[in-house]
Amino acid sequence: MAPASRPAAVLEPPSGFDLVVVGGGPAGAMAAATAARSGLAVALVEKRRVPRHKPCGGGLPLPVRSELAGLVPEAVVDTRVRWMRHSWAFREAVEACVDPPGTPGDASRGLWMVQRPRFDQALVAAAVAAGAQLLEGHSFVGLETGCDGLQVHLRGPGGSKPQPLRARHLIGADGAAGGVAAATGLRPSPRIALALELEVPHQWEGNDPLVRPDLLHLDYGVLRRGYAWVFPKADHLNIGAGLFHGRRRDVRRDPTARTRIRAAIDGYAAALGVAAHRLEGLRVYAHPLPFWDGPEPLHTPDGRVLLVGDAAGLINPLFGDGLFHAIRSGRLAAEAVVAGEPTSHTARVHDLLAADFEAARRLARLFYSLPGLTYRHAISLPQATPLAVRLLGGELSFRGLGRRALRRIARGWLAEWRGG
Protein backbone atom coordinates (compact mmCIF):
# COMPACT_ATOMS: atom_id res chain seq x y z
CA MET A 1 0.00 0.00 0.00
CA ALA A 2 1.40 3.41 -0.93
CA PRO A 3 2.33 5.63 2.01
CA ALA A 4 0.00 8.46 2.90
CA SER A 5 1.00 11.95 1.78
CA ARG A 6 3.70 13.70 3.79
CA PRO A 7 3.23 17.48 3.91
CA ALA A 8 6.39 19.51 4.26
CA ALA A 9 4.72 22.10 6.45
CA VAL A 10 1.51 22.75 8.31
CA LEU A 11 -0.89 24.37 5.85
CA GLU A 12 -3.75 25.73 7.92
CA PRO A 13 -6.98 26.85 6.22
CA PRO A 14 -7.56 30.61 6.49
CA SER A 15 -10.32 30.15 9.05
CA GLY A 16 -8.57 27.33 10.89
CA PHE A 17 -9.55 23.68 11.09
CA ASP A 18 -12.99 22.53 12.03
CA LEU A 19 -11.40 19.58 13.77
CA VAL A 20 -7.94 18.52 14.87
CA VAL A 21 -7.54 14.83 15.70
CA VAL A 22 -4.54 13.85 17.82
CA GLY A 23 -3.49 10.24 17.23
CA GLY A 24 -3.40 8.26 13.99
CA GLY A 25 -4.55 4.91 15.39
CA PRO A 26 -7.90 3.34 14.49
CA ALA A 27 -9.95 5.67 16.73
CA GLY A 28 -8.29 8.84 15.45
CA ALA A 29 -8.12 7.82 11.80
CA MET A 30 -11.76 6.74 11.89
CA ALA A 31 -12.76 10.08 13.39
CA ALA A 32 -10.74 12.00 10.81
CA ALA A 33 -12.13 9.99 7.90
CA THR A 34 -15.72 10.34 9.11
CA ALA A 35 -15.43 14.11 9.63
CA ALA A 36 -13.56 14.74 6.37
CA ARG A 37 -16.12 12.72 4.42
CA SER A 38 -18.75 15.09 5.80
CA GLY A 39 -16.88 18.11 4.46
CA LEU A 40 -15.12 19.37 7.59
CA ALA A 41 -11.59 20.77 7.45
CA VAL A 42 -9.63 18.17 9.41
CA ALA A 43 -6.03 17.83 10.56
CA LEU A 44 -4.85 14.38 11.68
CA VAL A 45 -1.80 14.60 13.95
CA GLU A 46 0.44 11.55 14.38
CA LYS A 47 3.71 11.73 16.32
CA ARG A 48 5.45 9.07 14.21
CA ARG A 49 5.72 8.32 10.52
CA VAL A 50 3.09 6.00 9.09
CA PRO A 51 3.31 3.01 9.00
CA ARG A 52 4.62 2.55 12.55
CA HIS A 53 4.59 -0.38 14.90
CA LYS A 54 1.85 -0.55 17.49
CA PRO A 55 1.67 -3.26 20.16
CA CYS A 56 -1.71 -4.95 19.84
CA GLY A 57 -3.12 -8.44 19.48
CA GLY A 58 -4.90 -7.21 16.37
CA GLY A 59 -8.05 -9.30 16.63
CA LEU A 60 -11.32 -7.96 15.23
CA PRO A 61 -14.84 -9.45 15.31
CA LEU A 62 -16.69 -9.76 12.03
CA PRO A 63 -19.18 -6.89 12.62
CA VAL A 64 -16.26 -4.47 12.23
CA ARG A 65 -16.76 -4.86 8.48
CA SER A 66 -19.81 -2.59 8.58
CA GLU A 67 -17.79 0.11 10.34
CA LEU A 68 -14.93 -0.10 7.85
CA ALA A 69 -16.99 -0.35 4.66
CA GLY A 70 -15.28 1.66 1.95
CA LEU A 71 -12.36 2.57 4.23
CA VAL A 72 -10.14 -0.48 4.76
CA PRO A 73 -9.73 -3.26 2.19
CA GLU A 74 -9.98 -6.84 3.40
CA ALA A 75 -6.52 -7.33 1.89
CA VAL A 76 -5.04 -6.05 5.16
CA VAL A 77 -6.46 -9.08 7.00
CA ASP A 78 -3.61 -11.53 7.74
CA THR A 79 -5.59 -14.58 8.82
CA ARG A 80 -9.14 -15.52 9.69
CA VAL A 81 -9.55 -17.44 12.93
CA ARG A 82 -12.33 -20.00 13.12
CA TRP A 83 -11.09 -22.04 16.08
CA MET A 84 -10.03 -21.25 19.65
CA ARG A 85 -8.00 -23.48 21.93
CA HIS A 86 -8.61 -22.79 25.61
CA SER A 87 -6.39 -24.23 28.34
CA TRP A 88 -5.67 -24.06 32.04
CA ALA A 89 -1.94 -23.69 32.78
CA PHE A 90 -1.37 -25.24 29.33
CA ARG A 91 -3.33 -28.34 30.31
CA GLU A 92 -7.00 -29.40 30.26
CA ALA A 93 -7.19 -27.96 26.74
CA VAL A 94 -10.37 -27.79 24.68
CA GLU A 95 -10.63 -26.66 21.07
CA ALA A 96 -13.88 -25.10 19.89
CA CYS A 97 -15.22 -23.50 16.72
CA VAL A 98 -16.17 -19.83 16.86
CA ASP A 99 -19.45 -20.72 15.13
CA PRO A 100 -22.38 -22.76 16.40
CA PRO A 101 -22.68 -26.23 14.84
CA GLY A 102 -24.11 -26.20 11.34
CA THR A 103 -23.00 -22.66 10.46
CA PRO A 104 -22.15 -22.45 6.72
CA GLY A 105 -18.73 -21.12 5.85
CA ASP A 106 -20.02 -17.93 4.24
CA ALA A 107 -21.86 -17.09 7.49
CA SER A 108 -18.90 -17.70 9.78
CA ARG A 109 -18.10 -15.18 12.50
CA GLY A 110 -14.40 -15.88 12.09
CA LEU A 111 -12.18 -13.26 13.71
CA TRP A 112 -9.96 -11.05 11.60
CA MET A 113 -6.29 -10.98 12.55
CA VAL A 114 -4.54 -7.80 11.40
CA GLN A 115 -1.12 -6.26 11.82
CA ARG A 116 -1.51 -2.78 13.18
CA PRO A 117 1.10 -1.06 10.97
CA ARG A 118 -0.77 -2.06 7.79
CA PHE A 119 -4.25 -1.71 9.28
CA ASP A 120 -3.61 1.74 10.74
CA GLN A 121 -1.91 2.90 7.55
CA ALA A 122 -4.95 1.87 5.53
CA LEU A 123 -7.28 3.88 7.80
CA VAL A 124 -4.97 6.90 7.73
CA ALA A 125 -4.81 6.70 3.93
CA ALA A 126 -8.62 6.63 3.84
CA ALA A 127 -8.76 9.75 6.01
CA VAL A 128 -6.30 11.55 3.72
CA ALA A 129 -8.23 10.44 0.64
CA ALA A 130 -11.36 11.91 2.23
CA GLY A 131 -9.61 15.27 2.59
CA ALA A 132 -7.92 15.22 6.00
CA GLN A 133 -4.47 16.83 6.25
CA LEU A 134 -1.95 14.43 7.78
CA LEU A 135 0.71 15.92 10.05
CA GLU A 136 3.25 13.15 10.65
CA GLY A 137 6.08 13.57 13.10
CA HIS A 138 4.06 16.07 15.14
CA SER A 139 3.22 15.54 18.78
CA PHE A 140 0.67 17.27 20.99
CA VAL A 141 2.12 19.45 23.76
CA GLY A 142 -0.83 21.53 24.95
CA LEU A 143 -3.82 23.67 24.10
CA GLU A 144 -5.45 26.96 24.94
CA THR A 145 -9.18 27.65 24.90
CA GLY A 146 -10.57 30.96 23.75
CA CYS A 147 -14.00 32.34 23.03
CA ASP A 148 -13.61 31.53 19.34
CA GLY A 149 -12.11 28.03 19.65
CA LEU A 150 -8.84 26.29 20.46
CA GLN A 151 -5.16 26.85 19.91
CA VAL A 152 -3.55 23.42 19.60
CA HIS A 153 0.18 23.43 20.30
CA LEU A 154 2.36 20.82 18.61
CA ARG A 155 6.01 19.86 18.55
CA GLY A 156 7.21 19.27 15.03
CA PRO A 157 9.79 16.91 13.54
CA GLY A 158 13.15 17.11 15.27
CA GLY A 159 11.65 18.99 18.20
CA SER A 160 10.78 22.08 16.19
CA LYS A 161 7.83 24.16 17.29
CA PRO A 162 5.42 25.06 14.47
CA GLN A 163 2.71 27.64 14.74
CA PRO A 164 -0.25 26.49 16.84
CA LEU A 165 -3.25 25.20 14.95
CA ARG A 166 -6.58 26.95 15.28
CA ALA A 167 -9.48 24.57 15.64
CA ARG A 168 -13.12 24.58 16.61
CA HIS A 169 -12.83 21.10 18.12
CA LEU A 170 -10.18 18.60 19.16
CA ILE A 171 -10.51 14.82 19.40
CA GLY A 172 -8.01 13.11 21.66
CA ALA A 173 -7.15 9.68 20.25
CA ASP A 174 -3.64 9.55 21.67
CA GLY A 175 -3.94 6.42 23.79
CA ALA A 176 -3.50 5.54 27.42
CA ALA A 177 -0.53 7.84 27.95
CA GLY A 178 -1.72 10.66 25.71
CA GLY A 179 -1.56 14.28 26.67
CA VAL A 180 -5.00 15.48 25.56
CA ALA A 181 -6.88 14.03 28.54
CA ALA A 182 -4.26 15.37 30.94
CA ALA A 183 -4.42 18.84 29.37
CA THR A 184 -8.18 19.01 29.91
CA GLY A 185 -8.52 17.32 33.30
CA LEU A 186 -10.59 14.49 31.85
CA ARG A 187 -10.07 10.97 33.27
CA PRO A 188 -7.73 12.05 36.09
CA SER A 189 -7.27 8.57 37.61
CA PRO A 190 -7.57 5.84 34.97
CA ARG A 191 -7.31 2.13 35.76
CA ILE A 192 -4.41 0.76 33.74
CA ALA A 193 -3.68 -2.89 32.98
CA LEU A 194 -0.48 -4.11 31.34
CA ALA A 195 0.17 -6.50 28.47
CA LEU A 196 3.46 -7.66 26.97
CA GLU A 197 3.91 -9.43 23.67
CA LEU A 198 6.51 -10.92 21.36
CA GLU A 199 6.28 -11.21 17.60
CA VAL A 200 7.92 -14.54 16.79
CA PRO A 201 8.71 -15.01 13.08
CA HIS A 202 6.90 -18.03 11.72
CA GLN A 203 6.38 -19.78 8.39
CA TRP A 204 3.11 -21.62 7.93
CA GLU A 205 4.11 -25.01 6.69
CA GLY A 206 3.60 -28.60 7.78
CA ASN A 207 0.65 -30.04 9.63
CA ASP A 208 1.18 -28.95 13.21
CA PRO A 209 -2.21 -29.51 14.92
CA LEU A 210 -1.51 -26.85 17.57
CA VAL A 211 0.01 -24.02 15.50
CA ARG A 212 -2.33 -23.16 12.63
CA PRO A 213 -3.33 -19.90 10.92
CA ASP A 214 -7.01 -20.50 11.72
CA LEU A 215 -6.46 -21.23 15.45
CA LEU A 216 -5.82 -18.85 18.34
CA HIS A 217 -4.84 -19.93 21.83
CA LEU A 218 -5.95 -18.59 25.22
CA ASP A 219 -4.70 -19.78 28.61
CA TYR A 220 -6.29 -18.68 31.87
CA GLY A 221 -4.28 -20.50 34.53
CA VAL A 222 -0.72 -19.42 33.90
CA LEU A 223 -1.12 -15.82 35.09
CA ARG A 224 -3.19 -14.88 38.10
CA ARG A 225 -5.64 -12.03 37.38
CA GLY A 226 -4.88 -12.17 33.69
CA TYR A 227 -4.50 -14.51 30.75
CA ALA A 228 -2.08 -15.39 27.96
CA TRP A 229 -2.59 -15.78 24.22
CA VAL A 230 -1.12 -16.84 20.90
CA PHE A 231 -2.56 -15.06 17.86
CA PRO A 232 -1.65 -16.21 14.32
CA LYS A 233 -0.46 -13.60 11.84
CA ALA A 234 0.71 -13.90 8.24
CA ASP A 235 4.41 -14.08 9.07
CA HIS A 236 4.61 -14.43 12.85
CA LEU A 237 3.02 -15.61 16.06
CA ASN A 238 1.89 -12.91 18.44
CA ILE A 239 2.59 -14.48 21.84
CA GLY A 240 1.51 -12.31 24.72
CA ALA A 241 -0.01 -12.08 28.16
CA GLY A 242 -1.76 -9.42 30.18
CA LEU A 243 -2.17 -8.70 33.88
CA PHE A 244 -5.60 -7.10 33.91
CA HIS A 245 -6.93 -6.84 37.44
CA GLY A 246 -3.93 -6.51 39.70
CA ARG A 247 -3.85 -5.19 43.23
CA ARG A 248 -2.72 -1.76 42.04
CA ARG A 249 -4.91 0.63 40.10
CA ASP A 250 -2.06 1.04 37.63
CA VAL A 251 -0.49 -2.39 37.08
CA ARG A 252 2.65 -0.75 35.69
CA ARG A 253 3.53 0.23 39.25
CA ASP A 254 3.67 -3.41 40.35
CA PRO A 255 7.41 -4.26 40.43
CA THR A 256 6.73 -7.97 39.76
CA ALA A 257 4.25 -7.53 36.90
CA ARG A 258 6.63 -7.65 33.95
CA THR A 259 8.50 -10.67 35.28
CA ARG A 260 5.30 -12.64 35.79
CA ILE A 261 3.90 -11.67 32.41
CA ARG A 262 7.12 -12.58 30.62
CA ALA A 263 7.21 -15.96 32.38
CA ALA A 264 3.71 -16.66 31.05
CA ILE A 265 4.82 -15.82 27.51
CA ASP A 266 7.88 -18.07 27.71
CA GLY A 267 5.76 -20.85 29.16
CA TYR A 268 3.24 -20.62 26.34
CA ALA A 269 5.93 -20.77 23.68
CA ALA A 270 7.44 -23.85 25.30
CA ALA A 271 4.06 -25.55 25.65
CA LEU A 272 3.45 -25.18 21.91
CA GLY A 273 6.89 -26.44 20.94
CA VAL A 274 8.29 -23.03 19.96
CA ALA A 275 12.00 -23.41 20.69
CA ALA A 276 13.44 -20.97 23.22
CA HIS A 277 16.13 -19.78 20.80
CA ARG A 278 13.39 -18.39 18.51
CA LEU A 279 12.52 -15.90 21.26
CA GLU A 280 16.09 -14.73 21.85
CA GLY A 281 16.79 -11.15 20.84
CA LEU A 282 13.17 -10.33 20.07
CA ARG A 283 11.85 -7.01 21.27
CA VAL A 284 9.30 -7.17 24.07
CA TYR A 285 6.45 -4.78 23.35
CA ALA A 286 4.56 -3.31 26.29
CA HIS A 287 0.97 -2.17 25.96
CA PRO A 288 -0.79 -0.22 28.72
CA LEU A 289 -4.51 -0.98 28.68
CA PRO A 290 -6.87 1.67 30.11
CA PHE A 291 -9.78 -0.45 31.31
CA TRP A 292 -13.34 0.78 31.54
CA ASP A 293 -13.86 1.73 35.18
CA GLY A 294 -17.37 3.12 35.13
CA PRO A 295 -19.14 5.95 33.27
CA GLU A 296 -17.29 9.27 33.29
CA PRO A 297 -17.24 12.42 31.13
CA LEU A 298 -15.56 11.92 27.75
CA HIS A 299 -15.78 15.53 26.62
CA THR A 300 -15.10 18.91 28.17
CA PRO A 301 -18.14 20.89 29.41
CA ASP A 302 -17.97 23.22 26.40
CA GLY A 303 -17.73 20.30 23.95
CA ARG A 304 -14.49 21.61 22.46
CA VAL A 305 -12.46 18.47 23.33
CA LEU A 306 -13.64 14.87 23.00
CA LEU A 307 -11.87 11.61 23.92
CA VAL A 308 -12.06 8.33 22.00
CA GLY A 309 -10.51 4.86 22.04
CA ASP A 310 -7.87 4.08 24.63
CA ALA A 311 -7.73 7.76 25.59
CA ALA A 312 -11.36 7.37 26.68
CA GLY A 313 -10.70 4.13 28.59
CA LEU A 314 -12.76 1.97 26.25
CA ILE A 315 -11.11 -1.37 26.98
CA ASN A 316 -13.57 -4.15 27.83
CA PRO A 317 -12.95 -5.04 31.51
CA LEU A 318 -13.55 -8.76 30.95
CA PHE A 319 -11.90 -9.60 27.63
CA GLY A 320 -9.36 -6.77 27.51
CA ASP A 321 -10.19 -5.94 23.87
CA GLY A 322 -10.40 -2.37 22.65
CA LEU A 323 -9.81 -2.16 18.90
CA PHE A 324 -13.45 -2.50 17.79
CA HIS A 325 -14.61 -0.07 20.49
CA ALA A 326 -11.94 2.43 19.44
CA ILE A 327 -13.18 2.40 15.85
CA ARG A 328 -16.79 2.88 16.89
CA SER A 329 -16.00 5.67 19.34
CA GLY A 330 -14.00 7.54 16.69
CA ARG A 331 -17.00 7.46 14.39
CA LEU A 332 -19.37 8.57 17.15
CA ALA A 333 -17.18 11.52 18.12
CA ALA A 334 -16.89 12.74 14.55
CA GLU A 335 -20.64 12.38 14.02
CA ALA A 336 -21.28 14.46 17.13
CA VAL A 337 -19.02 17.23 15.83
CA VAL A 338 -20.49 17.08 12.32
CA ALA A 339 -24.02 17.32 13.77
CA GLY A 340 -23.06 20.38 15.78
CA GLU A 341 -23.75 18.43 18.97
CA PRO A 342 -20.30 17.81 20.51
CA THR A 343 -21.69 17.80 24.06
CA SER A 344 -23.69 14.69 23.12
CA HIS A 345 -20.47 12.66 22.72
CA THR A 346 -20.36 11.11 26.18
CA ALA A 347 -24.01 10.09 25.98
CA ARG A 348 -23.51 8.59 22.50
CA VAL A 349 -20.63 6.42 23.72
CA HIS A 350 -22.40 5.46 26.93
CA ASP A 351 -25.59 4.57 25.05
CA LEU A 352 -23.56 2.19 22.91
CA LEU A 353 -21.20 0.69 25.48
CA ALA A 354 -21.82 1.61 29.11
CA ALA A 355 -24.48 -0.93 30.08
CA ASP A 356 -22.56 -3.79 28.47
CA PHE A 357 -19.23 -2.68 29.93
CA GLU A 358 -20.73 -2.40 33.40
CA ALA A 359 -22.11 -5.95 33.06
CA ALA A 360 -18.73 -7.11 31.76
CA ARG A 361 -17.06 -5.49 34.77
CA ARG A 362 -19.26 -7.51 37.12
CA LEU A 363 -18.40 -10.67 35.21
CA ALA A 364 -14.71 -9.76 35.38
CA ARG A 365 -14.86 -9.66 39.17
CA LEU A 366 -16.28 -13.18 39.14
CA PHE A 367 -13.85 -14.56 36.58
CA TYR A 368 -10.64 -13.05 37.93
CA SER A 369 -11.59 -14.02 41.51
CA LEU A 370 -12.53 -17.64 40.66
CA PRO A 371 -10.69 -18.38 37.42
CA GLY A 372 -10.37 -22.13 37.94
CA LEU A 373 -14.06 -22.66 38.61
CA THR A 374 -14.96 -20.32 35.76
CA TYR A 375 -12.72 -22.21 33.38
CA ARG A 376 -14.05 -25.65 34.30
CA HIS A 377 -17.73 -24.74 34.42
CA ALA A 378 -18.04 -22.00 31.80
CA ILE A 379 -15.14 -21.34 29.42
CA SER A 380 -14.38 -24.99 28.62
CA LEU A 381 -17.97 -25.75 27.63
CA PRO A 382 -18.58 -26.19 23.86
CA GLN A 383 -21.13 -23.37 23.66
CA ALA A 384 -18.86 -20.85 25.41
CA THR A 385 -16.69 -19.99 22.40
CA PRO A 386 -19.51 -19.03 19.98
CA LEU A 387 -21.07 -17.05 22.82
CA ALA A 388 -17.83 -15.16 23.49
CA VAL A 389 -17.42 -14.29 19.80
CA ARG A 390 -20.94 -12.85 19.67
CA LEU A 391 -20.17 -10.82 22.80
CA LEU A 392 -16.95 -9.52 21.21
CA GLY A 393 -18.85 -8.31 18.17
CA GLY A 394 -21.65 -6.64 20.11
CA GLU A 395 -24.17 -9.11 18.68
CA LEU A 396 -25.08 -10.25 22.19
CA SER A 397 -25.31 -8.27 25.41
CA PHE A 398 -23.34 -9.02 28.58
CA ARG A 399 -26.37 -8.05 30.61
CA GLY A 400 -27.95 -10.99 32.35
CA LEU A 401 -24.97 -13.28 31.82
CA GLY A 402 -23.51 -12.66 35.28
CA ARG A 403 -26.27 -14.31 37.24
CA ARG A 404 -26.42 -17.27 34.89
CA ALA A 405 -22.66 -17.71 35.07
CA LEU A 406 -22.70 -17.49 38.86
CA ARG A 407 -25.43 -20.14 39.10
CA ARG A 408 -23.57 -22.44 36.73
CA ILE A 409 -20.30 -22.04 38.61
CA ALA A 410 -22.03 -22.56 41.97
CA ARG A 411 -23.61 -25.78 40.71
CA GLY A 412 -20.25 -26.95 39.40
CA TRP A 413 -18.48 -26.13 42.65
CA LEU A 414 -21.16 -27.97 44.65
CA ALA A 415 -20.82 -31.02 42.41
CA GLU A 416 -17.02 -30.96 42.85
CA TRP A 417 -17.36 -30.62 46.61
CA ARG A 418 -19.79 -33.51 46.85
CA GLY A 419 -17.63 -35.64 44.59
CA GLY A 420 -14.44 -34.77 46.46
Side-chain angles (χ1 to χ4, degrees), residues 56-64 84 111-113 116 193 195 218 227 229 231 242 244-245 287-292 309-310 313-328 353 356-357 360 368 388-394 398:
C56 179
L60 285 165
L62 195 63
V64 77
M84 293 187 185
L111 302 175
W112 283 2
M113 290 290 139
R116 286 289 302 277
L218 298 167
Y227 66 83
W229 65 82
F231 292 164
F244 298 143
H245 291 271
H287 188 191
L289 299 169
F291 268 35
W292 172 270
D310 283 9
L314 301 182
I315 300 288
N316 184 295
L318 177 60
F319 294 146
D321 64 301
L323 193 50
F324 187 29
H325 316 307
I327 292 167
R328 292 194 289 179
L353 296 173
D356 259 8
F357 274 16
Y368 290 107
V389 171
R390 293 175 67 194
L391 290 168
L392 277 169
F398 284 90

Side-chain angles (χ1 to χ4, degrees), residues 1 72-80 112-115 118-119 122 234:
M1 182 178 297
V72 176
E74 290 194 26
V76 304
V77 179
D78 270 20
T79 64
R80 289 170 172 81
W112 283 2
M113 290 290 139
V114 301
Q115 295 189 43
R118 294 174 60 217
F119 181 76

Side-chain angles (χ1 to χ4, degrees), residues 220-238:
Y220 311 91
V222 70
L223 185 63
R224 180 170 173 75
R225 298 186 178 275
Y227 66 83
W229 65 82
V230 180
F231 292 164
K233 301 298 178 71
D235 56 3
H236 69 269
L237 301 174
N238 180 291

